[in-house]
Amino acid sequence: MKKVNLSLPIILLLFFAVPYAFSAESAQNIITRSDAVRNPAEPFQVGLRLTEYVNGAARNEVILRVYSKIDQGTGQYKNLVRYLEPPRDAGKAVLMSGTTMWFYDPASRTSVRISPQQRLIGQAAEGDVVTVNFARDYQAKLVGPPEGEMLNDADRKPRKCWHLELTPSNDSAIYGRAEYWVEKDSYRPVKGKFYSDSGRLLKIAYYHNFEEQLGAQRPAEIILIDGVNPKLVTTMNLSGYKAKKIPDSWYQREFLPRLKGE
Protein backbone atom coordinates (compact mmCIF):
# COMPACT_ATOMS: atom_id res chain seq x y z
CA MET A 1 0.00 0.00 0.00
CA LYS A 2 1.31 3.42 -0.97
CA LYS A 3 2.05 5.59 2.03
CA VAL A 4 0.57 9.11 2.00
CA ASN A 5 2.75 11.81 3.49
CA LEU A 6 1.08 14.99 4.70
CA SER A 7 3.16 18.07 5.19
CA LEU A 8 2.74 20.14 8.37
CA PRO A 9 0.91 23.04 6.58
CA ILE A 10 -1.63 20.60 5.11
CA ILE A 11 -2.18 18.95 8.49
CA LEU A 12 -2.75 22.38 10.10
CA LEU A 13 -5.15 23.36 7.30
CA LEU A 14 -7.25 20.24 7.84
CA PHE A 15 -7.19 20.71 11.60
CA PHE A 16 -8.66 24.21 11.41
CA ALA A 17 -10.87 23.77 8.32
CA VAL A 18 -12.97 20.91 9.72
CA PRO A 19 -14.24 22.80 12.81
CA TYR A 20 -14.94 25.88 10.66
CA ALA A 21 -17.08 23.89 8.21
CA PHE A 22 -18.93 22.27 11.11
CA SER A 23 -19.69 25.66 12.69
CA ALA A 24 -21.01 27.13 9.40
CA GLU A 25 -23.32 24.15 8.86
CA SER A 26 -24.51 24.24 12.46
CA ALA A 27 -25.36 27.95 12.29
CA GLN A 28 -27.66 27.43 9.29
CA ASN A 29 -29.24 24.45 11.01
CA ILE A 30 -29.85 26.53 14.15
CA ILE A 31 -31.67 29.24 12.22
CA THR A 32 -33.70 26.63 10.30
CA ARG A 33 -34.89 25.00 13.53
CA SER A 34 -35.60 28.41 15.07
CA ASP A 35 -37.76 29.29 12.03
CA ALA A 36 -39.78 26.14 12.74
CA VAL A 37 -40.47 27.45 16.26
CA ARG A 38 -41.77 30.79 14.93
CA ASN A 39 -43.69 29.50 11.92
CA PRO A 40 -46.17 26.62 11.41
CA ALA A 41 -45.30 24.45 8.40
CA GLU A 42 -48.95 24.10 7.35
CA PRO A 43 -51.03 26.92 5.80
CA PHE A 44 -52.50 29.04 8.58
CA GLN A 45 -54.13 32.29 9.61
CA VAL A 46 -53.27 34.35 12.69
CA GLY A 47 -54.49 37.59 14.25
CA LEU A 48 -52.06 40.42 15.05
CA ARG A 49 -52.62 43.34 17.40
CA LEU A 50 -49.93 46.02 17.07
CA THR A 51 -49.71 48.69 19.76
CA GLU A 52 -47.36 51.65 19.62
CA TYR A 53 -46.07 53.04 22.95
CA VAL A 54 -44.32 56.35 23.57
CA ASN A 55 -42.76 56.75 27.03
CA GLY A 56 -44.89 53.81 28.20
CA ALA A 57 -48.22 55.29 27.04
CA ALA A 58 -50.18 53.61 24.24
CA ARG A 59 -50.62 55.96 21.27
CA ASN A 60 -51.82 53.94 18.24
CA GLU A 61 -53.16 50.48 17.56
CA VAL A 62 -53.76 48.38 14.45
CA ILE A 63 -55.42 44.97 14.20
CA LEU A 64 -54.59 42.68 11.27
CA ARG A 65 -55.22 39.16 10.06
CA VAL A 66 -52.44 37.33 8.21
CA TYR A 67 -52.84 34.34 5.88
CA SER A 68 -49.56 32.48 5.25
CA LYS A 69 -48.60 29.51 3.14
CA ILE A 70 -45.24 28.08 2.06
CA ASP A 71 -44.40 28.42 -1.62
CA GLN A 72 -43.26 24.88 -2.46
CA GLY A 73 -41.06 26.23 -5.25
CA THR A 74 -39.00 28.62 -3.13
CA GLY A 75 -39.43 27.44 0.46
CA GLN A 76 -40.46 30.97 1.45
CA TYR A 77 -43.91 32.02 2.66
CA LYS A 78 -46.57 33.72 0.59
CA ASN A 79 -48.54 36.22 2.67
CA LEU A 80 -51.82 38.10 2.64
CA VAL A 81 -52.53 40.74 5.28
CA ARG A 82 -56.00 42.17 5.91
CA TYR A 83 -56.46 45.36 7.98
CA LEU A 84 -59.39 44.99 10.42
CA GLU A 85 -59.07 48.01 12.74
CA PRO A 86 -59.12 51.00 13.19
CA PRO A 87 -62.21 51.67 11.05
CA ARG A 88 -60.32 54.15 8.85
CA ASP A 89 -57.98 51.34 7.77
CA ALA A 90 -60.50 48.48 7.52
CA GLY A 91 -60.38 46.80 4.11
CA LYS A 92 -56.80 47.71 3.32
CA ALA A 93 -54.72 44.70 2.34
CA VAL A 94 -51.15 43.66 1.54
CA LEU A 95 -49.86 40.86 -0.67
CA MET A 96 -46.30 39.59 -0.41
CA SER A 97 -45.17 36.87 -2.79
CA GLY A 98 -41.49 36.45 -3.54
CA THR A 99 -39.74 39.81 -3.58
CA THR A 100 -42.88 41.75 -4.49
CA MET A 101 -45.21 43.47 -2.01
CA TRP A 102 -48.48 45.16 -3.04
CA PHE A 103 -50.67 47.45 -0.91
CA TYR A 104 -54.40 47.79 -1.67
CA ASP A 105 -56.50 50.74 -0.49
CA PRO A 106 -60.30 50.41 -0.93
CA ALA A 107 -60.63 54.21 -0.96
CA SER A 108 -58.80 54.44 -4.29
CA ARG A 109 -59.63 50.86 -5.36
CA THR A 110 -56.08 50.51 -6.57
CA SER A 111 -53.01 48.55 -5.47
CA VAL A 112 -49.51 49.98 -5.51
CA ARG A 113 -46.13 48.37 -5.07
CA ILE A 114 -44.49 49.07 -1.69
CA SER A 115 -41.27 48.15 0.11
CA PRO A 116 -41.23 45.65 3.00
CA GLN A 117 -39.31 48.34 4.92
CA GLN A 118 -42.28 50.76 4.69
CA ARG A 119 -43.49 51.82 8.13
CA LEU A 120 -46.79 50.31 9.29
CA ILE A 121 -47.07 51.58 12.87
CA GLY A 122 -44.43 52.66 15.37
CA GLN A 123 -41.34 50.47 15.03
CA ALA A 124 -43.14 47.83 12.91
CA ALA A 125 -42.64 47.78 9.15
CA GLU A 126 -44.89 46.01 6.66
CA GLY A 127 -42.24 43.30 6.37
CA ASP A 128 -42.36 42.61 10.13
CA VAL A 129 -45.98 41.38 10.11
CA VAL A 130 -45.58 38.81 7.33
CA THR A 131 -44.29 35.27 7.91
CA VAL A 132 -40.74 34.70 6.66
CA ASN A 133 -38.14 31.95 6.96
CA PHE A 134 -34.85 33.63 7.89
CA ALA A 135 -32.94 30.51 6.77
CA ARG A 136 -34.30 31.05 3.26
CA ASP A 137 -33.20 34.69 2.95
CA TYR A 138 -30.06 34.89 5.12
CA GLN A 139 -26.73 33.13 5.53
CA ALA A 140 -26.14 32.42 9.21
CA LYS A 141 -22.76 32.51 10.94
CA LEU A 142 -22.03 31.68 14.56
CA VAL A 143 -20.30 34.73 16.07
CA GLY A 144 -20.56 33.76 19.75
CA PRO A 145 -18.91 30.81 21.46
CA PRO A 146 -20.11 27.39 20.18
CA GLU A 147 -21.13 26.44 23.71
CA GLY A 148 -23.40 29.51 23.87
CA GLU A 149 -23.50 32.73 25.90
CA MET A 150 -25.84 33.97 28.64
CA LEU A 151 -28.46 36.55 27.62
CA ASN A 152 -31.43 38.02 29.48
CA ASP A 153 -34.81 37.56 27.78
CA ALA A 154 -37.67 40.09 27.87
CA ASP A 155 -38.45 39.07 31.47
CA ARG A 156 -34.75 39.53 32.44
CA LYS A 157 -34.47 35.78 32.87
CA PRO A 158 -31.01 34.47 31.81
CA ARG A 159 -31.02 32.14 28.81
CA LYS A 160 -28.08 30.29 27.28
CA CYS A 161 -28.11 31.24 23.61
CA TRP A 162 -26.27 30.83 20.36
CA HIS A 163 -25.27 34.25 18.98
CA LEU A 164 -25.65 34.36 15.20
CA GLU A 165 -25.03 36.91 12.48
CA LEU A 166 -27.40 36.89 9.50
CA THR A 167 -26.37 38.37 6.16
CA PRO A 168 -28.71 38.47 3.11
CA SER A 169 -28.40 35.63 0.64
CA ASN A 170 -30.97 36.94 -1.86
CA ASP A 171 -33.07 40.01 -2.75
CA SER A 172 -36.00 38.88 -0.54
CA ALA A 173 -34.12 39.70 2.68
CA ILE A 174 -35.83 42.60 4.46
CA TYR A 175 -32.83 43.82 6.47
CA GLY A 176 -29.22 44.57 5.56
CA ARG A 177 -27.90 42.51 8.49
CA ALA A 178 -29.12 41.04 11.75
CA GLU A 179 -27.77 39.69 14.99
CA TYR A 180 -29.92 36.87 16.34
CA TRP A 181 -29.91 34.95 19.60
CA VAL A 182 -31.45 31.46 19.76
CA GLU A 183 -31.85 29.54 23.01
CA LYS A 184 -29.83 26.33 23.05
CA ASP A 185 -31.78 23.06 23.11
CA SER A 186 -35.24 24.66 22.65
CA TYR A 187 -34.26 26.63 19.49
CA ARG A 188 -36.55 29.44 20.65
CA PRO A 189 -35.69 32.87 19.25
CA VAL A 190 -34.89 35.18 22.18
CA LYS A 191 -33.60 38.46 20.71
CA GLY A 192 -32.82 40.06 17.38
CA LYS A 193 -31.03 43.27 16.36
CA PHE A 194 -31.87 44.38 12.83
CA TYR A 195 -29.74 46.78 10.76
CA SER A 196 -30.20 48.83 7.59
CA ASP A 197 -28.08 48.36 4.46
CA SER A 198 -25.86 51.21 5.72
CA GLY A 199 -25.29 49.43 9.06
CA ARG A 200 -27.61 51.59 11.18
CA LEU A 201 -29.39 49.78 14.02
CA LEU A 202 -33.11 50.02 13.20
CA LYS A 203 -34.78 48.00 15.94
CA ILE A 204 -34.32 45.43 18.66
CA ALA A 205 -36.81 42.56 18.94
CA TYR A 206 -37.59 40.34 21.92
CA TYR A 207 -39.62 37.14 21.41
CA HIS A 208 -41.92 36.69 24.41
CA ASN A 209 -44.81 34.73 25.98
CA PHE A 210 -44.39 31.33 24.32
CA GLU A 211 -47.66 29.39 23.98
CA GLU A 212 -48.76 26.10 22.44
CA GLN A 213 -50.05 26.94 18.94
CA LEU A 214 -50.51 24.51 16.03
CA GLY A 215 -48.31 21.82 17.54
CA ALA A 216 -45.43 23.84 19.00
CA GLN A 217 -44.51 26.48 21.57
CA ARG A 218 -44.50 29.73 19.61
CA PRO A 219 -44.01 33.40 20.66
CA ALA A 220 -47.34 35.08 21.37
CA GLU A 221 -45.71 38.51 21.61
CA ILE A 222 -42.85 40.27 19.84
CA ILE A 223 -41.55 43.47 21.43
CA LEU A 224 -39.92 45.94 19.02
CA ILE A 225 -37.70 48.68 20.50
CA ASP A 226 -36.44 51.61 18.44
CA GLY A 227 -32.73 51.34 17.65
CA VAL A 228 -32.06 54.95 18.76
CA ASN A 229 -34.76 55.85 21.31
CA PRO A 230 -35.63 52.99 23.72
CA LYS A 231 -38.75 54.90 24.84
CA LEU A 232 -40.34 54.12 21.46
CA VAL A 233 -41.75 50.60 21.65
CA THR A 234 -44.25 48.61 19.58
CA THR A 235 -45.72 45.28 20.66
CA MET A 236 -47.03 42.64 18.26
CA ASN A 237 -49.44 40.21 19.92
CA LEU A 238 -50.29 37.07 17.95
CA SER A 239 -53.47 35.09 18.67
CA GLY A 240 -56.04 32.82 17.07
CA TYR A 241 -53.67 30.56 15.15
CA LYS A 242 -55.78 28.36 12.90
CA ALA A 243 -54.83 25.85 10.20
CA LYS A 244 -56.53 26.91 6.98
CA LYS A 245 -56.64 25.71 3.41
CA ILE A 246 -55.69 28.76 1.37
CA PRO A 247 -56.15 28.59 -2.42
CA ASP A 248 -53.12 29.66 -4.49
CA SER A 249 -55.51 31.95 -6.39
CA TRP A 250 -55.67 34.18 -3.30
CA TYR A 251 -52.03 35.19 -3.74
CA GLN A 252 -52.75 37.34 -6.77
CA ARG A 253 -52.82 41.11 -6.94
CA GLU A 254 -56.31 40.93 -8.49
CA PHE A 255 -57.64 39.09 -5.42
CA LEU A 256 -56.79 41.88 -2.93
CA PRO A 257 -60.20 43.70 -3.24
CA ARG A 258 -61.99 40.41 -2.48
CA LEU A 259 -59.93 39.41 0.57
CA LYS A 260 -62.27 39.18 3.55
CA GLY A 261 -61.35 39.36 7.22
CA GLU A 262 -63.20 36.25 8.44
Side-chain angles (χ1 to χ4, degrees):
M1 179 180 294
K2 184 177 180 181
K3 185 176 179 180
V4 177
N5 294 318
L6 297 177
S7 65
L8 180 59
I10 293 176
I11 293 173
L12 290 174
L13 178 63
L14 292 173
F15 179 79
F16 288 108
V18 171
Y20 175 81
F22 176 76
S23 297
E25 180 183 353
S26 296
Q28 205 63 29
N29 185 58
I30 291 167
I31 203 69
T32 298
R33 296 190 65 170
S34 182
D35 281 344
V37 172
R38 290 188 303 110
N39 306 326
E42 59 192 311
F44 69 97
Q45 68 176 51
V46 63
L48 266 68
R49 179 185 295 271
L50 287 84
T51 307
E52 176 188 16
Y53 294 89
V54 178
N55 293 326
R59 186 166 69 175
N60 289 314
E61 189 167 87
V62 173
I63 298 177
L64 311 171
R65 180 158 295 143
V66 180
Y67 303 87
S68 300
K69 178 180 182 180
I70 288 181
D71 184 326
Q72 298 300 328
T74 66
Q76 190 51 282
Y77 281 86
K78 298 185 288 187
N79 289 275
L80 281 167
V81 181
R82 169 82 175 191
Y83 286 61
L84 303 180
E85 295 182 23
R88 67 172 184 274
D89 292 332
K92 293 178 180 177
V94 170
L95 164 68
M96 185 174 186
S97 183
T99 59
T100 306
M101 180 172 271
W102 296 96
F103 177 82
Y104 172 76
D105 188 340
S108 61
R109 298 183 179 180
T110 59
S111 56
V112 296
R113 191 166 179 170
I114 62 172
S115 163
Q117 291 82 19
Q118 186 163 321
R119 181 178 177 274
L120 194 161
I121 177 176
Q123 283 60 56
E126 294 283 356
D128 292 325
V129 300
V130 296
T131 307
V132 295
N133 277 330
F134 288 152
R136 168 66 177 74
D137 293 341
Y138 295 90
Q139 184 66 42
K141 180 175 72 174
L142 194 62
V143 292
E147 66 274 17
E149 60 189 36
M150 299 307 296
L151 177 78
N152 284 345
D153 65 13
D155 295 318
R156 300 185 186 281
K157 182 178 178 181
R159 305 277 184 181
K160 195 164 191 178
C161 298
W162 287 296
H163 182 184
L164 307 169
E165 181 183 61
L166 307 182
T167 53
S169 58
N170 60 56
D171 292 340
S172 299
I174 295 172
Y175 294 101
R177 185 175 73 88
E179 291 180 88
Y180 204 62
W181 286 263
V182 176
E183 186 180 36
K184 291 194 70 175
D185 302 325
S186 73
Y187 293 91
R188 289 182 177 182
V190 175
K191 179 182 177 181
K193 297 175 76 172
F194 297 93
Y195 298 84
S196 69
D197 290 342
S198 64
R200 181 169 62 92
L201 177 61
L202 298 173
K203 65 191 73 174
I204 302 169
Y206 283 94
Y207 300 85
H208 191 222
N209 286 347
F210 283 76
E211 297 177 349
E212 186 74 16
Q213 297 287 352
L214 292 181
Q217 290 279 318
R218 308 188 194 281
E221 183 179 55
I222 302 172
I223 303 168
L224 300 175
I225 304 171
D226 187 83
V228 176
N229 185 351
K231 294 181 179 180
L232 303 179
V233 177
T234 299
T235 58
M236 297 171 48
N237 289 281
L238 299 91
S239 63
Y241 276 96
K242 180 181 176 182
K244 184 179 180 67
K245 291 184 178 179
I246 308 174
D248 286 335
S249 59
W250 285 25
Y251 296 99
Q252 303 292 329
R253 181 183 175 188
E254 294 75 18
F255 185 76
L256 286 172
R258 292 183 281 151
L259 178 63
K260 305 299 181 185
E262 74 274 9

